[in-house]
Amino acid sequence: MPTLPESRCCRETDEVNERREEAGANCITEHDGFEPICLNEHVLRVAYFQYRQQYGPRQGHEINEQYRYTAYRQFVRWCWGFLGRQVRVPLPSCVVRQIRDKFASEENVGFQYPPIH
């Protein structure tokens, strides 16, 4: 991963590690819940509709970018619950890699903290 916050193992974040341990998996991406929650296009489409209803549509984004964005949100909701608006956490590199592999793009931005207003 291109930045230090992105170069972390799923075992290094308490919330993710707890979820990983509950399934006895070596990696969070091996948890039985990871694929249906974060990689299933039907689930992501419904989750995006919920996002769009609450916040409005994301303009000018290709479909794979919408899937990635929604998959990242799904993973955070699964491990942390609700964080609040503009609260972000770096995701484990294994999670980011799996999501990027499934919903590829020519350009990935990587983890960014929200702008300070």
Side-chain angles (χ1 to χ4, degrees), residues 18-111:
E18 287 174 21
R19 185 72 61 203
R20 181 194 63 77
E21 286 179 338
E22 78 184 15
N26 289 323
C27 177
I28 190 67
T29 61
E30 297 171 1
H31 189 295
D32 288 343
F34 181 77
E35 190 281 329
I37 292 170
C38 300
L39 299 178
N40 184 294
E41 292 176 27
H42 303 291
V43 171
L44 295 176
R45 189 173 302 123
V46 171
Y48 177 72
F49 292 152
Q50 172 62 36
Y51 170 85
R52 189 174 70 187
Q53 181 179 358
Q54 188 169 359
Y55 299 108
R58 293 175 41 98
Q59 299 296 323
H61 298 286
E62 64 168 309
I63 190 67
N64 276 355
E65 186 173 347
Q66 288 181 353
Y67 280 138
R68 281 192 312 276
Y69 179 80
T70 306
Y72 298 145
R73 287 178 57 88
Q74 287 281 96
F75 182 77
V76 168
R77 178 67 51 100
W78 184 42
C79 292
W80 281 271
F82 180 74
L83 290 176
R85 195 171 179 106
Q86 297 294 320
V87 178
R88 298 180 185 170
V89 291
L91 303 181
S93 59
C94 54
V95 170
V96 173
R97 185 181 64 251
Q98 288 280 325
I99 292 170
R100 286 182 182 173
D101 285 351
K102 173 83 178 192
F103 305 109
S105 174
E106 292 185 23
E107 183 178 320
N108 286 305
V109 177
F111 176 77

Side-chain angles (χ1 to χ4, degrees), residues 11-22:
R11 295 171 180 250
E12 296 177 304
T13 304
D14 292 340
E15 294 83 355
V16 178
N17 195 43
E18 287 174 21
R19 185 72 61 203
R20 181 194 63 77
E21 286 179 338
E22 78 184 15

